[in-house]
Every structure is written in C-alpha cells, then in structure tokens.
Amino acid sequence: MSMKNYLLTVMQMEELPNQHMLGLFQELVTRFTEVIQEKSADEPMS
Amino acid sequence: MSDLWIPPDYIRRQQISRQIGVLTTVTWSDVAGSVLTDTELQSIVGAATAGGLLRVISLISTLLTNVGWSPYAHRDQQCAAARELCSADVAGTVEQLLVTQRRDVFVHHAQLLAAARLAILYGQPGSARPSDGDVIGKVLLAINDSLQREELEQADPHASAIMVSLRGLGLFRNEQWRYLMPRYFDLLVTRARNHPIGKDFAPAFYSATGVEMEAYICFALLYLSAFQGITEARQLESRAFLDAIDGIVRQVRDQDLVRRCQALFSDDLEGFRNAFTPPNASTRTPGHHRFQERPLVRLPGGVTLPISLPLLHEKASMGAYWLLHEHYRCDPTKGIRKFTSTVGKFFQDYLSDLLKRTYAAGPGDERYYDEASIKASSHPPRGRNEPPFDGIILGNDSIILIEMGTAALTADLLRTGDPAEFSRQVNAKVVKKIEQLNKAFNEIGQGFWRAPGLELRRISHIYPVLALLHPYPLTSATWQPLRSAAQEPGMYPFGGDILSAHLHWPQLIAAEEWEMLEPLVLDTGLSLPQVRLKRPGQKKPS
C-alpha cells in the first residue's frame, strides 16, 4: 500500500468517518506528496 | 488482606486515588514492601545503557498507543508487559495485583517519560546491550512509587484531584491525532490563507523555524507513518523498527529539508541531558516539556526513535500552533493577542461551518443558526449589538445555546497543577463564558435575541453548551467553579409568566466531540439532547 493510501486508511478507521475532516486530510496528503519528493530509483540513498 | 507490609500512608494514598477516580498503579513497594531511594534508583539505571533503555521505552510506548484500549484487553496487555519486563517472581506478584483488581495499571505513558529522563541522565553511554532490558521492570515499578507520592502529596482530595487532572492534561492532550491534524491544518493553513491577519501565519512560521509550515506538517506525517499500526512486540524488535525513520527520510530528495525538520522534532542524548541539567532545567518541572518539544531521540548508531508516540502525535498535530504561539508571544507589539484572537475567530467560523453542515441537510428536525442569523432576526435594546452567545440549535421543543471559546490553561499551570493558580485562571478565562450563557438564557427569555422560527412558548428544555477548542480537565473538582457560576437548573418562565421551561446544567463539548457527532447526526438524525442526556450522571428531565 502506498503511503498516501495508508494515511487515508488511518483517517477512515471509524465506521462513520467525518467526511469534511477526511477531505482536509486528503488535501494534506496531496501536499505531502508534493513536499516530500522521493528520490528516483537511480539516485543514491544518503 | 495483603500479605505484604504496606506503609499506612501508602494505603491512604491508594484510597484517595480511588476516591478521585484515578487508576492505581502497581509499585515497587507493592512487590518488595519498601520504596527505593532516589540514589538506589539512579544506581540501577546506571547499570544499563541509555540507548538500550530508550529502545525498550520507545517500544512500550508504541505498543501502548497503537493497541486499542478496552478494560479486558488492557488488563491482558498490562499482565503481558509484566511478564515481558520483570523477573518471574516480580511478574507473578504484579499479575496477581492486576488480575484481582487491587491495582489497575503497571505501564503507562507518564511513567515511561520519567523513565526516559532517568535513562538519559544516568544511563551509560555506548551501544545498547542485551542485558539492558533486565532492569527496566524494577525501574518502572519504582517510578510508579514516586509518581503516586507526587500526585497525592496534597492532603486534600479535592486539591489532589485538580493537580492530578491538570498534570495529566499537561502531559497528554488525549485527543485523536487524525482529528487534531486536519483541524489545525484548517485553522492555520487553509482558513488563514486568505485572511488579512491569518495570511501572515505562514511567513511567521518560516521566519521562526526556517521551514515552511506545510513541509513541517508533512514531515510529521512521515515520522508518524513509521510507527502507526504496529501492535505486536515482534514487529518492533526487528531491525526495521530501529531503522524506520532513517530508512524513510533517506528516500527524500531534499536532504537539507530533512536536516532542518529533524532539528525541529528530535534531539540527541547530549542535547536532552543539557536540557535536564540546571540551570537549563526548570526547578518546577521534571523536564517532560523537552520531550513535548522534541519527541524523537537520535541514538548513537543512526537510530531515531519516538521517546513517546503520543507526544509525537501531538507535536505532529499541534506543533505548528505552539511554534506560532511562541513566535507571537515574543513579539513586542502584543502579537500574541492578535494571534489568539484570530485563531478564536477561525475556530468560531470552523465550528459554525461544522454545525451548518450537520444541520442543513440532516434527517432530523433540528436546525442551527449562527451569530449572523441571530443578529439579523433580533431587535435588541439600543447599544446591544452583540449577542452573548455564538450560535443556537433549535429543535421542536428544545434549544441548545452555544458559546464558543479558545480559552486555554497555561502550560506552566498544566505542569505544576497548582490548585490556587487553576482557580485564578478558570475564573479569568472560563467562568466568564458560563456567565455569558446565563445571560444568553435570560435575554432570549426576555425576547432580546431571536432565531428564525423560534417560538419561546414551545420550548421546554434549554441546554447551555460551552464549545471549546482546547480540552478542559473534566473531574468533579475542576467542574466545580463552572457549576458554581452557572445559573441554577430548574423550571423557569420562558416567553410567558408560567414556569414552562427546564434550564439544564451547562456542558462542555470539545471540538473533537463535535467532529465525531457530525457524521452521526447526518447519518441517523440523532438529536443532540438525546446524546447529551445519555451521558453518565445525567437524569432524564421530568
């Protein structure tokens, strides 16, 4: 599971998740994927 | 009857604990019949390495946080911890005390923080050794002795209850991070973006930290993801656990950003030791504040671990708020007042939006009206432009009067738990909100304030509610000043001369509770008074 999907799963743990909070969390996770740019496979790990 | 000799003052302390509703902990004196001195405890800790002890502490904290709490699973979990962390004979006694319900808890988060501080101050340097785990059980039991002694040093159970509840709230906010994080993202980022004062939050944060606020929150998510969902010790004992954070951050392209964020969340052993040693350490606090500021520890060998997973949750969710708070507090132009009043305005908008969503399209009969709707419907006396409340939920025969607030008890008070200072702060910050609700009840009854469709003669129940952004410690002792300020519940005339409506005690509802209620009300049409009346201790009105 990708980190993005994993984080969204965490947010929906309840039977009745708050859709507005989930929307905010999705926006945050979108920013997450923009801010945390992962190295490509050919870049060396530090 | 215990077959151990227990000092009479200890038994008295346990009785007070039970009276004020605090869970009692298993202590070294329960097991051995005597208390370890501070010197003995330091000497035991000094036989192990700091790194080894902190690995075990991090492991226990992660398991305690991730395993869901239930009375039955909790006791099993505590017994399993005793078997894992104590010698066989000690574990047997601890289990017996837990299973027979003479004690409630062996390991808990406040104790783990105290153990982490001892490990940093007195543990040996160098790499972790397999024997490090041998001392942890005894250390944790001995810390329970000293924590109980501190908590119950007040002879007066009322003062004890205030101190224990304040200190508990000061250590752990006890809110779910998956609600905290989006709430503060909304208040500090999305709602602030286009506001004349709020738009300064982002540059202020960068100037204080050298990191963009969104990058800070995103790195917090990154750190959290490494430990979320781990519920079994075997998952934590592997090398993957020790390498969890460093393994993830090595994959990030911008390593300079990694280093800047790491500095905001973590410290090494020397850094913590300096913070705990006078003159840096405050004499009033045991140093847990430093763990709240830096919940991650960097150990020798490139291992980074959470000292406390709940503190990492809170730092991730609310860290940006407290960094901004500190930035504006140091602003000589009274920036803190501007910051808190802006967050207060955002919170009122945030909660009003939530209540509008909840009651606009739900299947129930209740409707919400915000302050603007109330003003538009009302004809108050000249000079009275502002209603003394922020919103109203109108039902068939009931109204819920809502006053919203961002009042927070200071961090110093939550560390010391001083009952006199508590009384001063509550009177200055919270009691006035209860008095506003009294005023709201009386002025609506007199017809000063109205809402669309409100007919006073149809109203049989009035529920005043204080909606709070920051949690308030809820025990009978901390509730007492609010209860004293509240208008006496009972039957009152409301829109006429006869005693027609029942005024109820005010209640506090935290932001998280409103957030959890939203889907429930939308999905089921559940009425809020029904939920509130089901709370423990609430009697159904006649």
Side-chain angles (χ1 to χ4, degrees):
Chain A
M1 190 189 302
S2 74
M3 190 174 290
K4 181 176 175 178
N5 287 337
Y6 170 72
L7 289 168
L8 292 174
T9 308
V10 169
M11 189 59 200
Q12 297 184 72
M13 284 188 299
E14 269 176 12
E15 201 177 329
L16 274 174
N18 183 314
Q19 292 302 318
H20 178 73
M21 306 299 278
L22 186 56
L24 282 167
F25 205 74
Q26 276 167 334
E27 186 184 340
L28 184 56
V29 171
T30 302
R31 288 293 295 130
F32 175 86
T33 50
E34 290 163 10
V35 171
I36 312 281
Q37 292 187 15
E38 287 188 48
K39 289 177 181 170
S40 56
D42 55 348
E43 286 179 89
M45 296 293 156
S46 54
Chain B
M1 189 79 169
S2 168
D3 50 1
L4 297 169
W5 181 83
I6 305 289
D9 69 322
Y10 177 80
I11 294 170
R12 171 70 184 140
R13 285 203 303 274
Q14 296 286 357
Q15 285 168 343
I16 292 174
S17 269
R18 296 239 186 234
Q19 279 169 19
I20 62 181
V22 174
L23 295 177
T24 57
T25 53
V26 191
T27 63
W28 180 250
S29 53
D30 282 335
V31 174
S34 62
V35 178
L36 290 176
T37 65
D38 286 351
T39 313
E40 285 171 325
L41 184 55
Q42 289 163 16
S43 162
I44 293 167
V45 172
T49 67
L53 290 172
L54 287 170
R55 285 183 188 195
V56 180
I57 289 164
S58 179
L59 188 150
I60 304 168
S61 172
T62 302
L63 288 177
L64 273 183
T65 308
N66 286 339
V67 175
W69 194 92
S70 82
Y72 309 105
H74 172 77
R75 204 168 292 281
D76 290 346
Q77 184 190 33
Q78 293 285 326
C79 289
R83 288 192 296 272
E84 195 73 35
L85 302 171
C86 302
S87 60
D89 54 334
V90 171
T93 308
V94 173
E95 276 200 79
Q96 193 192 15
L97 287 164
L98 291 169
V99 169
T100 56
Q101 300 188 19
R102 282 184 287 169
R103 298 289 179 268
D104 305 302
V105 177
F106 163 42
V107 285
H108 55 103
H109 290 294
Q111 165 207 53
L112 294 174
L113 289 182
R117 181 172 171 274
L118 283 176
I120 288 165
L121 283 173
Y122 304 106
Q124 289 181 26
S127 304
R129 296 184 305 229
S131 60
D132 289 340
D134 296 348
V135 303
I136 191 74
K138 193 170 183 179
V139 170
L140 294 176
L141 288 166
I143 288 172
N144 279 348
D145 266 321
S146 60
L147 287 179
Q148 290 211 149
R149 204 164 43 237
E150 265 178 40
E151 285 175 351
L152 299 166
E153 62 197 10
Q154 299 267 0
D156 172 15
H158 181 84
S160 270
I162 291 175
M163 195 172 76
V164 169
S165 57
L166 288 175
R167 285 184 175 177
L169 187 61
L171 270 183
F172 300 103
R173 195 177 165 95
N174 207 21
E175 289 187 276
Q176 300 172 80
W177 74 272
R178 64 203 180 88
Y179 282 134
L180 262 180
M181 186 170 260
R183 185 189 314 143
Y184 278 89
F185 181 64
D186 181 313
L187 295 176
L188 301 180
V189 180
T190 62
R191 213 167 278 271
R193 266 181 208 137
N194 302 315
H195 186 268
I197 297 174
K199 67 179 169 47
D200 293 337
F201 289 178
F205 188 89
Y206 187 82
S207 121
T209 62
V211 172
E212 303 280 355
M213 188 157 33
E214 286 176 272
Y216 172 94
I217 299 173
C218 291
F219 265 87
L221 273 176
L222 193 72
Y223 298 141
L224 279 179
S225 66
F227 302 98
Q228 210 58 31
I230 293 175
T231 55
E232 293 176 25
R234 62 183 170 78
Q235 293 171 282
L236 294 169
E237 282 163 352
S238 66
R239 181 68 210 171
F241 166 63
L242 297 176
D243 196 36
I245 286 183
D246 291 284
I248 290 177
V249 297
R250 272 198 296 273
Q251 297 171 32
V252 178
R253 183 169 289 156
D254 186 346
Q255 285 296 307
D256 182 48
L257 181 60
V258 168
R259 276 185 285 278
R260 279 182 281 142
C261 284
Q262 192 181 42
L264 292 171
F265 282 87
S266 68
D267 210 341
D268 57 18
L269 290 174
E270 191 184 347
F272 279 118
R273 211 172 286 128
N274 287 338
F276 295 148
T277 309
N280 299 327
S282 162
T283 51
R284 285 174 302 166
T285 67
H288 297 158
H289 180 52
R290 188 61 181 167
F291 292 142
Q292 290 171 318
E293 289 177 334
R294 302 282 188 275
L296 296 174
V297 60
R298 298 193 304 274
L299 295 173
V303 172
T304 305
L305 292 174
I307 283 179
S308 162
L309 192 54
L311 288 190
L312 181 58
H313 282 152
E314 290 189 15
K315 174 83 176 170
S317 314
M318 288 204 65
Y321 174 85
W322 290 120
L323 284 165
L324 276 172
H325 191 279
E326 182 62 15
H327 173 80
Y328 283 110
R329 197 180 64 78
C330 299
D331 179 348
T333 62
K334 295 187 178 171
I336 186 66
R337 192 169 294 174
K338 207 186 286 182
F339 173 69
T340 52
S341 68
T342 306
V343 172
K345 167 77 174 66
F346 289 168
F347 177 61
Q348 187 175 334
D349 292 347
Y350 173 86
L351 198 53
S352 277
D353 289 349
L354 182 152
L355 288 164
K356 281 179 201 165
R357 288 194 305 271
T358 306
Y359 291 104
D365 296 326
E366 294 168 333
R367 291 293 173 262
Y368 172 73
Y369 297 102
D370 66 4
E371 190 177 321
S373 307
I374 293 160
K375 280 197 216 174
S377 312
S378 304
H379 303 286
R382 184 174 293 182
R384 295 292 314 281
N385 297 322
E386 298 297 324
F389 59 110
D390 297 318
I392 186 169
I393 298 173
L394 177 59
N396 280 336
D397 67 346
S398 69
I399 53 173
I400 299 173
L401 299 175
I402 302 171
E403 171 61 13
M404 301 171 190
T406 54
L409 304 172
T410 63
D412 267 351
L413 170 60
L414 296 180
R415 273 174 230 144
T416 60
D418 177 9
E421 177 60 16
F422 169 74
S423 176
R424 196 192 67 71
Q425 289 196 20
V426 167
N427 283 324
K429 298 177 179 180
V430 192
V431 161
K432 66 178 184 185
K433 294 281 185 185
I434 298 291
E435 288 167 349
Q436 271 183 252
L437 286 166
N438 297 341
K439 198 170 175 184
F441 163 67
N442 288 311
E443 292 190 353
I444 290 176
Q446 290 166 35
F448 287 8
W449 305 106
R450 304 193 53 77
L454 171 61
E455 291 178 43
L456 297 184
R457 287 171 189 276
R458 288 178 54 187
I459 300 303
S460 312
H461 296 284
I462 298 112
Y463 302 96
V465 166
L466 182 52
L468 292 173
L469 173 61
H470 300 294
Y472 181 86
L474 280 176
T475 67
S476 59
T478 51
W479 177 240
Q480 196 175 347
L482 308 188
R483 201 175 162 105
S484 301
Q487 186 153 339
E488 188 69 28
M491 296 302 291
Y492 286 88
F494 202 63
D497 297 327
I498 56 164
L499 301 175
S500 58
H502 188 123
L503 174 69
H504 295 257
W505 282 116
Q507 289 212 21
L508 307 188
I509 301 187
E512 183 184 73
E513 292 177 286
W514 291 110
E515 288 153 0
M516 290 192 290
L517 276 169
E518 181 181 348
L520 200 64
V521 174
L522 272 174
D523 195 64
T524 64
L526 191 72
S527 153
L528 190 52
Q530 284 173 351
V531 179
R532 286 161 32 71
L533 293 174
K534 283 179 186 171
R535 280 188 166 191
Q538 287 283 319
K539 289 180 185 167
K540 196 176 177 183
S542 52

